[in-house]
Amino acid sequence: MLDLVFFTSPIGLGHATRDIAIAGNLTDISKRFVSGGAAPRIISQNGFDVEDLYRPPPFMVKNGKMEKPLRWLFGYYSYYKQCKAISSEVLGKYSPRVVASDEDFASLVVAQEEGLKTILVTDILETSFASGIGSLIEKKMNKSMKKIIQKCDLVILPEAGDNQDNMVRVGPIVRDTTQSREQIREKLGFTRKTIVVSIGGTDSGKFLIEKAIEAHSKIKSETDLVIVSGPSLDINNPGIRNLGFVNNLHEVIFAADLVVSLAGKSTIDEARHYGTPGIFIPIKGHFEQEDNARELGYTYDDILHLDRIILEKINQKREPKPFDGAKKAAEMIRKLVMA
């Protein structure tokens, strides 16, 4: 019997990284993760037990723009039904006291049907991928999602704001490091002004890497370009350093002088936490990324003049804004497990 099983959405590595941050503050709680894609690799490399069971449908992205969102929604529904069966087996195997989910709603439904305590970690309360007839289907899915959220014992939102009903806003959830920026830069071999380009765990951000390389070639400045291409892309370009897949992106961001990234919330929050200036380009049609980017003054069209923006941002002053959302979230989870 386990205290906690954490079902982590594999759609983007940001879910895994913030769950790792929370789990690092739950050393006195027995726990196990369930996820898929590239997430189990980063979870296990950070010292946690994890089962690689989920196979999510990939976003269809071409030149940085989402295509066929309705087809993706149908694929997601099929994936959701598979996740219900998987999570039922996992819960039967481990009999946890509490089930925590980072945007994996299938596990919450199964756990709630079995009368288990449930916790949801999420930064979205409804989706907005489709238009036309697809929006009607998505509207029904959002209604179902709302009911699941209302049944949770605790909903943790990694953002600032007021609490309401079962929803608690703890602020951004990010990973900490015990090393100084100078130590990390030496470890990574960063000796000059360094621009880091990160695209997460899929190949959806390939367009951003290509545009960043093109923009950097136009810039007449003494800077190094470092790519974090993740597990899905093999980028070989003379003169460009590619770190590939890393399990410590937060440290790479801390060491960088500028980060250029897709507009995922976790990467944005880590850049804010460590004070690293950032340029965040959303996938066009991805409502969550577009909302995140808009809050920071960016849109997809900024990809067209990336060289100019890099020159504007590369010498921007660092302004760290330390967050303690991971500790707050962990303490709330601990109380529920121990109750």
Side-chain angles (χ1 to χ4, degrees), residues 57-62 65-76 129-131 134 283-285:
F59 286 119
M60 289 173 273
V61 177
K62 184 176 181 180
K65 302 176 183 179
M66 277 195 67
E67 296 189 334
K68 300 181 175 66
L70 183 57
R71 180 184 296 182
W72 184 84
L73 279 177
F74 281 125
Y76 180 85
F129 283 113
S131 59
I283 294 172
K284 192 173 182 64

Side-chain angles (χ1 to χ4, degrees), residues 228-247:
V228 182
S229 61
S232 301
L233 285 177
D234 184 17
I235 303 292
N236 292 304
N237 188 298
I240 302 298
R241 184 179 173 195
N242 181 15
L243 299 182
F245 174 86
V246 300
N247 60 18

Side-chain angles (χ1 to χ4, degrees), residues 274-288:
Y274 290 109
T276 304
I279 300 169
F280 300 99
I281 306 296
I283 294 172
K284 192 173 182 64
H286 191 301
F287 78 96
E288 185 181 3

Side-chain angles (χ1 to χ4, degrees), residues 13-268:
L13 282 177
H15 304 285
T17 57
R18 69 185 177 197
D19 296 345
I20 289 167
I22 294 171
N25 290 279
L26 291 172
T27 55
D28 55 336
I29 301 294
S30 61
K31 54 195 169 294
R32 193 173 195 89
F33 283 86
V34 175
S35 193
R41 183 175 172 186
I42 192 171
I43 292 169
S44 64
Q45 288 181 357
N46 277 269
F48 300 105
D49 294 328
V50 59
E51 299 199 22
D52 182 3
L53 301 176
Y54 283 173
R55 300 292 178 267
F59 286 119
M60 289 173 273
V61 177
K62 184 176 181 180
N63 297 324
K65 302 176 183 179
M66 277 195 67
E67 296 189 334
K68 300 181 175 66
L70 183 57
R71 180 184 296 182
W72 184 84
L73 279 177
F74 281 125
Y76 180 85
Y77 182 65
S78 176
Y79 161 73
Y80 168 81
K81 290 191 292 183
Q82 294 169 10
C83 290
K84 285 186 69 176
I86 291 169
S87 57
S88 180
E89 291 183 9
V90 170
L91 296 183
K93 181 178 179 180
Y94 294 110
S95 301
R97 301 175 68 180
V98 175
V99 169
S101 159
D102 194 321
E103 296 186 15
D104 174 59
F105 290 91
S107 58
L108 291 176
V109 170
V110 174
Q112 289 168 357
E113 289 174 349
E114 295 185 7
L116 296 172
K117 296 176 184 177
T118 53
I119 300 167
L120 171 64
V121 180
T122 184
D123 52 87
I124 59 168
L125 299 176
E126 65 177 17
T127 65
S128 183
F129 283 113
S131 59
I133 190 171
S135 65
L136 300 177
I137 298 171
E138 191 171 26
K139 187 175 181 180
K140 291 183 178 180
M141 293 175 68
N142 279 325
K143 284 185 178 180
S144 298
M145 186 168 72
K146 184 176 181 180
K147 290 179 181 178
I148 297 168
I149 292 173
Q150 290 173 338
K151 289 181 181 179
C152 288
D153 295 274
L154 174 65
V155 178
I156 297 171
L157 290 93
E159 59 189 35
D162 297 327
N163 302 332
Q164 181 181 5
D165 300 324
N166 63 340
M167 298 181 189
V168 179
R169 289 175 169 82
V170 300
I173 296 172
V174 300
R175 294 172 288 173
D176 282 320
T177 179
T178 58
Q179 295 181 296
S180 69
R181 184 166 181 263
E182 291 71 25
Q183 288 173 321
I184 297 171
R185 282 181 64 86
E186 183 177 357
K187 178 177 67 175
L188 293 172
F190 290 1
T191 57
R192 301 198 301 176
K193 286 275 188 179
T194 304
I195 303 164
V196 167
V197 183
S198 171
I199 64 165
T202 71
D203 60 1
S204 298
K206 183 179 179 182
F207 77 100
L208 183 58
I209 290 178
E210 293 172 344
K211 289 294 185 180
I213 292 174
E214 179 184 329
H216 188 256
S217 69
K218 298 178 183 178
I219 295 171
K220 305 300 182 182
S221 65
E222 295 297 317
T223 60
D224 289 328
L225 186 67
V226 175
I227 306 297
V228 182
S229 61
S232 301
L233 285 177
D234 184 17
I235 303 292
N236 292 304
N237 188 298
I240 302 298
R241 184 179 173 195
N242 181 15
L243 299 182
F245 174 86
V246 300
N247 60 18
N248 63 333
L249 181 61
H250 61 303
E251 292 185 331
V252 178
I253 289 173
F254 188 18
D257 296 285
L258 174 67
V259 60
V260 180
S261 172
L262 296 179
K265 179 171 174 55
S266 292
T267 305
I268 290 172

